[in-house]
Amino acid sequence: DLLSLAHEHDIDLEGAPTQAANLCACEGSVACSTCHIVLTPEHYDLLPEPEDDENDMLDMAFGLTDTSRLGCQVK
Ligand code: FES
């Protein structure tokens, strides 16, 4: 998933690349929003629409934006 990809490539998620693996409180079961990421519009448009359960969790994410996704659901 995106979190492990970002980790592999040392991409800065939430300002702490070495902690990327720890951001996933529910380990990808769409039961938290700790993996909330904000994509650029270009990247957002490349992805399939979020599923309902992802949207429900995103609603609870801090600082939700139009291009927010849950990192664990972005393959
Ligand atoms: Fe919990 Fe992504 S790790 S929703």
Side-chain angles (χ1 to χ4, degrees), residues 2-6 8 10 22 25 27 38 41-43 45-46 51 53 59 62 65 67 69-70:
L2 185 70
L3 286 174
S4 33
L5 257 184
E8 265 169 40
D10 238 17
N22 298 331
E27 297 177 346
V38 177
E42 291 77 23
H43 283 115
D45 287 345
L46 293 174
E51 303 284 341
D53 51 357
D59 283 343
F62 179 76
T65 75
T67 59
R69 293 296 304 260
L70 293 180

Side-chain angles (χ1 to χ4, degrees), residues 3 23-35 57 70-73:
L3 286 174
L23 291 173
C24 260
C26 77
E27 297 177 346
S29 57
V30 200
C32 70
S33 55
T34 54
C35 61
M57 273 306 144
L70 293 180
C72 68
Q73 300 306 300

Side-chain angles (χ1 to χ4, degrees), residues 42-60:
E42 291 77 23
H43 283 115
Y44 189 87
D45 287 345
L46 293 174
L47 299 169
E49 290 291 307
E51 303 284 341
D52 287 349
D53 51 357
E54 182 181 350
N55 275 325
D56 289 347
M57 273 306 144
L58 278 172
D59 283 343
M60 290 185 251

